[in-house]
C-alpha cells in the first residue's frame, strides 16, 4: 500500500504536468488508449467469460459512469492543487457505502451513519464553502467522487459473478470507447513527449492497481486502508516541491478527518465479517 500511494501520486503529478498542454478529455482518452496494451493477457479470459446481456448492460453503464468520472478528474487536476484532488478522492468510499445501502440492500448501522457524517464534515472542511471561492475544479472533483462511486458500486455487483481480471479488462475497453467521442471533439495534435508522458500515466495506474490488489490479498482492508492516508502526505510534498503549490492546513486536516472516517468503516466491516466467520469455542475446526 505504501508503494501504491507513491504510484498514484506520481500519476497525478504527471497528469498535472501534461494538463496544461492537452484538453482533459483527450488526456484521459490517450491514457486509456495507450493502456490497452496491458489488457492483452486479459483478452482470452474476457472471451471465455461468455457474458450475458444483463452483464454487458452493467459493464456498459459502468463504462459511462467511469468515463464521466475520469474526464472530470483530469479536468480537476488542471484547476486545483494535487493535495485537494487526493483529499477529495477519499470521499469515494463514502458514496459507495451509501449506494450499497440504497441499491444493494446493505444495512447502515448507527456507527456507519455517524462515520459517513464525519466524512462529509471533512469534505466541507476541505472545500470551506462561504469562506473561500470555490472554482469549477472543486465542483468537478465533487462529481468525480459521485461518478466513480457509481462505477465501483457496479463493479461490486459484477464481482459476485465474474472474475476480477475480466472486470478490469472490460473497464479499460468501455472507458476507452466512452472517452473517444469526447476526445475527438476537442482534439489537438499531441507531441510525442505528451504521448510518452501519458503512457507513463498508464504504467503508473496499472502498477498502482496491481500493488493495491497484492496488498488486499496480503492483509485485510482494515489494515491497508489507513496507509492510504500517506498519499495525502506525498501529494502535499509533490505539490509544494514540483509545482510550488502552497500547503493548505485545512485541506490536510479535512483529508485526515475523511480518512479517519473511511478507515473506521473499513475496520467495522472487517470486525463484523470476522465475527461471522470465526467459529464459537466448541465448534468443529476445519
Amino acid at each position: 500500500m505504501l508503494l501504491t500511494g507513491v504510484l498514484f501520486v506520481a500519476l497525478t503529478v504527471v497528469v498535472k504536468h501534461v494538463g496544461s498542454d492537452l484538453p482533459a478529455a483527450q488526456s484521459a482518452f490517450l491514457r486509456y488508449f495507450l493502456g490497452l496494451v496491458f489488457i492483452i493477457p486479459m483478452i482470452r479470459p474476457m472471451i471465455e467469460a461468455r457474458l450475458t446481456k444483463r452483464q454487458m448492460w452493467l459493464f456498459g453503464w459502468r463504462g459511462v459512469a467511469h468515463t464521466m468520472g475520469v474526464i472530470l478528474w483530469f479536468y480537476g487536476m488542471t484547476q486545483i492543487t494535487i493535495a485537494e484532488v487526493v483529499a477529495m478522492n477519499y470521499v469515494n468510499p463514502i458514496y459507495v457505502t451509501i449506494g450499497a445501502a440504497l441499491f444493494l440492500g446493505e444495512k447502515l448501522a448507527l456507527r456507519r451513519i455517524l462515520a459517513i457524517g464525519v466524512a462529509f464534515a471533512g469534505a466541507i472542511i476541505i472545500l470551506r464553502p462561504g469562506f473561500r471561492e470555490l472554482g469549477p475544479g472543486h465542483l468537478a472533483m465533487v462529481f468525480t467522487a459521485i461518478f466513480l462511486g457509481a462505477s465501483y458500486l457496479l463493479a461490486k455487483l459484477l464481482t459476485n459473478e465474474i472474475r476480477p481480471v475480466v472486470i478490469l479488462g472490460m473497464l479499460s475497453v468501455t472507458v476507452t470507447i466512452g472517452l473517444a467521442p469526447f476526445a475527438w471533439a476537442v482534439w489537438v495534435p499531441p507531441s510525442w513527449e505528451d504521448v510518452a508522458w501519458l503512457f507513463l500515466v498508464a504504467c503508473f495506474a496499472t502498477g498502482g492497481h496491481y500493488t493495491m490488489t497484492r496488498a488486499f490479498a496480503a492483509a485485510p482492508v482494515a489494515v491497508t486502508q489507513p496507509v492510504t492516508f500517506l498519499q495525502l502526505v506525498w501529494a502535499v510534498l509533490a505539490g509544494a516541491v514540483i509545482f510550488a503549490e502552497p500547503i493548505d492546513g485545512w485541506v490536510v486536516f479535512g483529508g485526515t478527518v475523511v480518512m479517519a472516517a473511511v478507515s473506521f468503516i473499513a475496520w467495522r466491516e472487517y470486525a463484523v465479517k470476522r465475527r461471522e466467520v470465526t467459529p464459537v469455542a466448541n465448534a468443529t475446526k476445519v
Side-chain angles (χ1 to χ4, degrees), residues 92-114:
N92 289 4
I94 300 300
Y95 289 117
V96 175
T97 300
I98 295 173
L102 292 175
F103 302 109
L104 302 184
E106 293 190 7
K107 294 181 180 180
L108 275 182
L110 178 60
R111 291 177 179 176
R112 294 179 83 186
I113 294 174
L114 292 174

Side-chain angles (χ1 to χ4, degrees), residues 2-274:
L2 286 171
L3 182 55
T4 298
V6 173
L7 288 169
F8 282 154
V9 171
L11 180 157
T12 61
V13 168
V14 176
V15 170
K16 193 168 186 68
H17 170 71
V18 178
S20 58
D21 299 330
L22 297 175
Q26 183 178 348
S27 295
F29 169 75
L30 288 173
R31 170 263 180 269
Y32 272 88
F33 179 75
L34 295 169
L36 288 177
V37 65
F38 295 111
I39 75 164
I40 292 176
M42 308 174 194
I43 293 176
R44 185 172 180 179
M46 289 167 64
I47 294 174
E48 294 175 346
R50 299 184 182 279
L51 302 175
T52 65
K53 185 177 180 179
R54 170 184 166 277
Q55 290 167 343
M56 289 297 295
W57 272 105
L58 289 175
F59 276 122
W61 281 115
R62 190 191 181 202
V64 170
H66 211 89
T67 294
M68 299 308 299
V70 167
I71 291 175
L72 290 169
W73 185 87
F74 270 77
Y75 174 74
M77 276 299 308
T78 66
Q79 302 296 311
I80 59 179
T81 67
I82 295 177
E84 287 176 305
V85 169
V86 172
M88 293 183 69
N89 277 343
Y90 287 155
V91 185
N92 289 4
I94 300 300
Y95 289 117
V96 175
T97 300
I98 295 173
L102 292 175
F103 302 109
L104 302 184
E106 293 190 7
K107 294 181 180 180
L108 275 182
L110 178 60
R111 291 177 179 176
R112 294 179 83 186
I113 294 174
L114 292 174
I116 290 171
V118 170
F120 278 117
I124 291 175
I125 292 172
I126 296 170
L127 294 172
R128 301 192 302 285
F131 292 93
R132 67 165 177 172
E133 183 179 355
L134 296 181
H138 298 100
L139 188 61
M141 288 308 302
V142 169
F143 281 98
T144 294
I146 294 173
F147 280 118
L148 293 185
S151 170
Y152 297 144
L153 200 61
L154 289 168
K156 194 170 185 178
L157 271 175
L158 291 162
T159 301
N160 298 325
E161 308 171 11
I162 301 170
R163 294 172 58 190
V165 65
V166 176
I167 294 175
L168 180 59
M170 287 297 294
L171 178 67
S172 298
V173 172
T174 55
V175 174
T176 302
I177 295 172
L179 288 169
F182 293 98
W184 178 79
V186 295
W187 190 268
V188 297
S191 68
W192 285 109
E193 181 182 357
D194 290 333
V195 172
W197 279 118
L198 288 168
F199 179 70
L200 186 61
V201 168
C203 293
F204 284 147
T206 303
H209 283 291
Y210 174 74
T211 55
M212 183 169 59
T213 302
R214 292 296 300 270
F216 289 160
V221 177
V223 175
T224 58
Q225 188 70 55
V227 183
T228 61
F229 170 72
L230 289 175
Q231 287 186 39
L232 185 57
V233 177
W234 311 142
V236 170
L237 292 175
V241 174
I242 300 175
F243 300 104
E245 295 176 347
I247 298 176
D248 190 332
W250 288 108
V251 171
V252 176
F253 176 56
T256 304
V257 171
V258 175
M259 193 66 246
V262 172
S263 297
F264 175 78
I265 291 174
W267 173 77
R268 282 296 302 166
E269 289 181 351
Y270 170 68
V272 170
K273 288 179 181 178
R274 190 176 184 184

